[in-house]
């Protein structure tokens, strides 16, 4: 399912003109060292402030006398602040940022003919990281957030 969502989000992004890359809006995909996979969209409100909307999933499967699987899915939004101007970084391709927002997490567990699906938490979402402009259309993104931990990904500008 996530492959289809990713493809649907990336097709319009890749089809846009190179000249639109200056807007700063982007769609990204990422994966954390904890194996959380995410999709996000970020939209400039007024530079240096933007709004990020995200969907992330973390799941594990294991076998213990039978197959078991648990999954956590988070959806949320965060305000992102770009610190490039304040820090006066010589390399204009580097954009450090921090963000604060809200998210909700739902969980599911299945195994041994048992299925449980319930909301488990919601709260404040925190993130901090940096983007590096690889090309005019693509940024490499590395951050730390309180859902997936250390995360890397790519953002496609439109």
């Amino acid at each position: 399912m996530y492959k289809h969502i990713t493809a649907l989000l990336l097709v319009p992004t890749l089809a846009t003109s190179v000249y639109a890359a200056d807007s700063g809006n982007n769609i990204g995909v990422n994966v954390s060292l904890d194996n959380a996979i995410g999709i996000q969209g970020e939209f400039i409100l007024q530079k240096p402030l933007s709004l990020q909307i995200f969907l992330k999933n973390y799941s594990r499967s294991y076998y213990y006398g039978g197959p078991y699987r648990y999954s956590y899915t988070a959806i949320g939004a965060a305000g992102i602040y770009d610190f490039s101007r304040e820090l006066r970084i010589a390399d204009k391709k580097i954009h450090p940022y921090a963000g604060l927002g809200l998210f909700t997490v739902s969980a599911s567990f299945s195994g041994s003919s048992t299925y449980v699906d319930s909301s488990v938490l919601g709260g404040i979402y925190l993130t901090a990281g940096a983007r590096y402009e690889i090309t005019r259309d693509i940024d490499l993104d590395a951050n730390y957030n309180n859902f997936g931990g250390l995360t890397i990904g790519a953002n496609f500008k439109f």
Side-chain angles (χ1 to χ4, degrees):
M1 179 174 130
Y2 289 107
K3 291 179 186 176
H4 298 298
I5 292 171
T6 303
L8 288 173
L9 291 173
L10 292 179
V11 168
T13 302
L14 297 174
T16 57
S17 169
V18 169
Y19 300 108
D22 292 333
S23 72
N25 297 329
N26 63 69
I27 292 176
V29 293
N30 53 59
V31 64
S32 77
L33 296 179
D34 295 335
N35 294 322
I37 298 171
I39 299 172
Q40 67 191 30
E42 192 169 328
F43 309 95
I44 298 294
L45 299 174
Q46 182 175 353
K47 286 187 178 184
L49 188 63
S50 60
L51 174 67
Q52 181 185 82
I53 299 170
F54 60 87
L55 171 67
K56 297 183 180 201
N57 181 268
Y58 171 78
S59 61
R60 280 280 183 209
S61 298
Y62 63 94
Y63 190 87
Y64 185 75
Y68 290 89
R69 178 179 173 85
Y70 60 91
S71 178
Y72 299 96
T73 302
I75 186 166
I80 304 292
Y81 189 85
D82 183 347
F83 289 101
S84 297
R85 286 188 183 158
E86 288 78 10
L87 297 177
R88 294 189 175 110
I89 297 172
D91 189 350
K92 300 293 182 195
K93 293 182 176 190
I94 298 173
H95 296 273
Y97 66 89
L100 175 68
L102 297 173
F103 72 121
T104 184
V105 179
S106 62
S108 64
F109 174 81
S110 62
S112 295
S113 68
T114 303
Y115 181 79
V116 179
D117 189 15
S118 66
S119 288
V120 291
L121 71 103
I124 295 176
Y125 177 77
L126 302 169
T127 186
R131 289 189 197 93
Y132 181 77
E133 186 177 320
I134 295 173
T135 69
R136 191 174 163 122
D137 294 329
I138 300 172
D139 287 343
L140 177 64
D141 188 355
N143 68 69
Y144 180 83
N145 62 72
N146 61 333
F147 183 79
L150 290 173
T151 303
I152 58 170
N155 297 323
F156 304 93
K157 299 177 192 175
F158 62 95

